[in-house]
Every structure is written in structure tokens, then in C-alpha cells.
Amino acid sequence: MTEQDTAAAVDTTEAEDARDEADIAADYIEELLDICDLDGDLEIEERGGRVYLSVTDDGEALRVLSKPDTVTALQELTRIAVQAETGEFSRLILDVGGSRDARAEELQRLVDTAVERIEAGSATAALPPMSSYERKLVHDLVAEKGFHSESEGEGRDRHTVVTR
């Protein structure tokens, strides 16, 4: 084998080993859907260095998987599967059946209520504990309204506090 043949073989092997985060995650979710005997369409998008994987269907088949706690658990399992194969931390965001949009609307209502409380005279308004991704969404929503927010607490108790 010549030096060029060896280099070509190494490049081919590296390309096969270098499956990206999106492909690994999509394969993992497709296998899960197959095991559950559920149909779903997968859409992959990358924004700001983060992979967004959405699973949709035309009916109600994904309803059982689209509950917030279930989506969070599936997202963590998918991240672990990606990390096991790549050796790198995954910041993947999973959406099942529009659950992320529904949660974003709920967060908007929470922010609106917090802002109303502050405008009515409260110095601060604390929101319930939520994930880092959801806190980031809340910080953005609060800033859009011209208010300030900070995360407080540790672990599962970490929450956002809104101030003027």
C-alpha cells in the first residue's frame, strides 16, 4: 500500500467515524419511534452552533411523547447518545409535536404576568424553576419588554427573577 493509499484509507475511516451530532440524534430518535411503533417526520436545523431536531406528525400519534417532562427526558437521552458516540457534550434541542412552541407561549404568559406585577408595584417577580434553555428564552422575552432578569438558585431550584 502506498502512502497515498494509506492517507485515503485514513480519510475514509475518519469520515465514517465523524458522523455529526444531527445525524446521530436523528438516528436515535428514528429508532425510538420505530420501537414505539410511531410515525413521525424529522426536521433538523442548526442555529448558533446548536442543533434543533423537530419531530412532527399529521395526527395525534406523538401526543404521548410531546408532554414537557417527556420531551425533556428524551432530549437528555438523545444528548447522552450523541455524547457517547462523539465524546463531546451536546446542546441539542428536541421538539416533539410542537411542544417547544407551546412551552414558549406559556413562558411568554409567565413573563407578561411578571411584568404586570412589577408595573403594579412589586419590586421583583420570581418565576418557577425551569431548565437553562427555558431561562434563556425568559431572559430574552424580559429584555424585549425593557425589564431586567437574573437567574437565582441552584440545580433544580434555579429560577428567574424579573426586576425593573
Side-chain angles (χ1 to χ4, degrees):
M1 185 179 264
T2 68
E3 190 173 313
Q4 286 178 327
D5 291 338
T6 303
V10 168
D11 288 345
T12 302
T13 303
E14 286 175 1
E16 290 170 359
D17 290 343
R19 287 183 9 151
D20 70 349
E21 179 179 17
D23 289 338
I24 296 166
D27 288 348
Y28 183 83
I29 293 297
E30 284 177 346
E31 188 171 334
L32 173 77
L33 292 173
D34 286 346
I35 290 169
C36 296
D37 196 28
L38 296 172
D39 291 325
D41 298 318
L42 273 63
E43 183 179 313
I44 301 169
E45 185 178 343
E46 189 169 335
R47 296 183 300 224
R50 183 175 271 194
V51 172
Y52 290 78
L53 180 62
S54 297
V55 185
T56 59
D57 70 342
D58 292 333
E60 294 288 317
L62 296 177
R63 186 172 39 92
V64 69
L65 295 180
S66 66
K67 294 180 178 151
D69 289 342
T70 305
V71 174
T72 299
L74 290 173
Q75 176 176 282
E76 289 307 310
L77 289 171
T78 306
R79 286 178 173 179
I80 290 168
V82 169
Q83 185 172 353
E85 189 160 329
T86 65
E88 296 182 19
F89 178 74
S90 171
R91 293 180 45 216
L92 170 122
I93 299 296
L94 177 65
D95 178 37
V96 179
S99 61
R100 292 287 176 197
D101 289 339
R103 181 62 175 154
E105 290 173 11
E106 185 178 336
L107 293 174
Q108 180 67 61
R109 287 190 297 276
L110 286 171
V111 168
D112 291 344
T113 301
V115 166
E116 288 171 8
R117 287 185 3 221
I118 292 170
E119 288 176 337
S122 293
T124 65
L127 301 180
M130 57 188 73
S131 71
S132 60
Y133 174 74
E134 290 175 339
R135 288 194 313 275
K136 168 68 171 108
L137 291 177
V138 166
H139 290 308
D140 292 345
L141 293 169
V142 168
E144 286 175 13
K145 295 205 171 271
F147 287 78
H148 179 73
S149 61
E150 290 185 20
S151 293
E152 295 182 359
E154 297 294 326
R156 292 180 139 304
D157 294 328
R158 194 139 175 92
H159 61 281
T160 306
V161 177
V162 181
T163 57
R164 190 165 289 278

